[in-house]
Amino acid sequence: MVALIVAQPKTMAPWFCQTFFEGDYSLTQRTQVLVAIGLSAGETAGLETSKYASAASFPSKRLPEKIEQLYLDSPARAEESALSSRLRGLPSTALENISRAITSDFLAPMAIEAADKTTGPDILKLETFTARYKSKTRAKPRVRAIPNTTAALLASSFFFPLTAHFQFALRSNKPLILNPALLALYLQTLGVVVHAAGPSTLALPQLTAELWDLLLSVRVHVEGDLGALRGWMIAMVSLLQVNEGDMRRICEQQGREVVETRDWTSAVFSRLRGDDGGEENDVKMLAAGVLIRLGDAIEKFQALLVGDMIG
């Protein structure tokens, strides 16, 4: 699926988005379609080469069986049979590497800056936080600007079909997309697509407004599930990251959403304990990062926010 989408993204990406919502598939099959869309977005942008591509490789054209036997001996056929036996579906965790890279890049600078500003015993409170994310931060290669054609392709063929079908699916009596596990992966996939499109996307203002509204609309569906809440945070982190240099416009045009998101994230952060070092702790870390980024923007562009709230 990944190779097919990457080869023909304009045709196959919207088709797979529609298939995910409207096809008669099991939850596992829908998960694989969603993962394939996310991996394909990364590969289309040149950000990620899927380690699952080799396991899914197979000949695209075959000779007739009688002719094929003239060229293939028994060891070759055995090797081909072994290759076919390795074909497997994409696991639901296939997007984790990309998601962890996004969150690490988002949180690491905050941890380092906080550690630099902190002195005395308080620095011990940041030791675990800093060590965890600073150690995962890899040396970044030189930034390669994604051509606008690629960014526009990711927006039109990946992002907007996913969000459009989502809005239509919500009209049904029991939307399958609101299954916590599926919703978590869906939001995570949107975050990966936004990250792959990057800040050079010409449609970034429209993309930002649509994803932000979607995230605010599904808050009630993610509050009771840590996995879904983590997917929500990953999508928000990606949104803030691609708009890092354009927060003035965000505060000017979407001031209400910024304040509402800050307040809701603050409530989530206060409710989570995060003492076990597991998934709850990860979600709390992401919530803290979102709060810091939004808090800095609100403090810096307070006048614009007040004008938007009054207007």
Side-chain angles (χ1 to χ4, degrees):
M1 286 189 290
V2 175
L4 188 60
I5 298 174
V6 173
Q8 296 290 336
K10 289 185 179 180
T11 303
M12 299 312 302
W15 185 85
F16 273 104
C17 292
Q18 180 180 0
T19 298
F20 168 74
F21 284 97
E22 300 180 4
D24 185 15
Y25 299 114
S26 66
L27 187 62
T28 301
Q29 290 170 327
R30 292 179 193 273
T31 297
Q32 293 180 2
V33 171
L34 204 53
V35 169
I37 293 172
L39 292 176
S40 302
E43 292 193 19
T44 300
L47 300 178
E48 180 76 12
T49 300
S50 173
K51 66 178 182 179
Y52 302 99
S54 60
S57 61
F58 58 92
S60 58
K61 294 184 179 180
R62 298 286 296 270
L63 293 170
E65 186 176 355
K66 292 182 179 180
I67 304 298
E68 186 181 59
Q69 291 177 358
L70 299 177
Y71 296 93
L72 296 179
D73 52 14
S74 297
R77 286 198 296 271
E79 182 179 353
E80 181 185 353
S81 177
L83 177 62
S84 300
S85 66
R86 293 199 299 269
L87 293 175
R88 60 187 184 276
L90 294 170
S92 59
T93 57
L95 290 179
E96 278 302 310
N97 288 339
I98 305 178
S99 298
R100 290 191 180 279
I102 294 172
T103 55
S104 295
D105 290 344
F106 180 77
L107 292 173
M110 299 181 190
I112 296 172
E113 182 180 358
D116 289 340
K117 292 181 179 179
T118 306
T119 57
D122 288 342
I123 197 170
L124 298 177
K125 301 177 183 179
L126 292 169
E127 183 177 355
T128 303
F129 182 88
T130 305
R132 180 173 183 180
Y133 287 99
K134 188 175 181 180
S135 62
K136 290 183 179 180
T137 305
R138 297 165 294 181
K140 294 184 180 180
R142 295 181 62 184
V143 176
R144 179 182 64 83
I146 302 173
N148 282 338
T149 53
T150 303
L153 174 66
L154 290 169
S156 62
S157 298
F158 289 81
F159 179 82
F160 290 121
L162 279 174
T163 55
H165 286 292
F166 177 82
Q167 298 296 341
F168 184 79
L170 291 181
R171 300 177 186 176
S172 61
N173 294 330
K174 295 182 179 180
L176 183 62
I177 188 61
L178 295 183
N179 175 283
L182 204 58
L183 181 60
L185 188 58
Y186 171 76
L187 295 176
Q188 188 176 349
T189 302
L190 286 179
V192 170
V193 172
V194 169
H195 175 73
S200 63
T201 310
L202 294 177
L204 184 59
Q206 181 185 356
L207 184 150
T208 299
E210 187 161 337
L211 180 54
W212 211 312
D213 289 342
L214 187 150
L215 290 175
L216 290 178
S217 68
V218 300
R219 286 174 297 173
V220 65
H221 302 294
V222 304
E223 286 183 328
D225 185 86
L226 275 178
L229 194 56
R230 181 175 179 271
W232 193 97
M233 291 295 174
I234 290 174
M236 179 55 67
V237 163
S238 298
L239 196 59
L240 293 176
Q241 204 163 12
V242 297
N243 285 284
E244 183 177 5
D246 204 17
M247 290 305 294
R248 177 186 176 87
R249 179 189 60 80
I250 296 293
C251 291
E252 185 176 7
Q253 298 180 1
Q254 296 179 267
R256 297 176 187 273
E257 289 84 351
V258 170
V259 175
E260 190 174 350
T261 302
R262 192 273 310 270
D263 293 343
W264 184 79
T265 305
S266 178
V268 171
F269 179 83
S270 301
R271 188 176 70 249
L272 295 174
R273 296 182 59 186
D275 298 331
D276 59 349
E279 188 175 22
E280 186 174 2
N281 185 66
D282 290 341
V283 174
K284 189 162 188 174
M285 290 287 190
L286 293 175
V290 171
L291 279 175
I292 292 173
R293 181 64 60 85
L294 292 178
D296 290 345
I298 290 174
E299 182 179 357
K300 187 175 182 180
F301 304 110
Q302 189 171 8
L304 294 174
L305 287 168
V306 171
D308 180 74
M309 299 296 286
I310 295 176

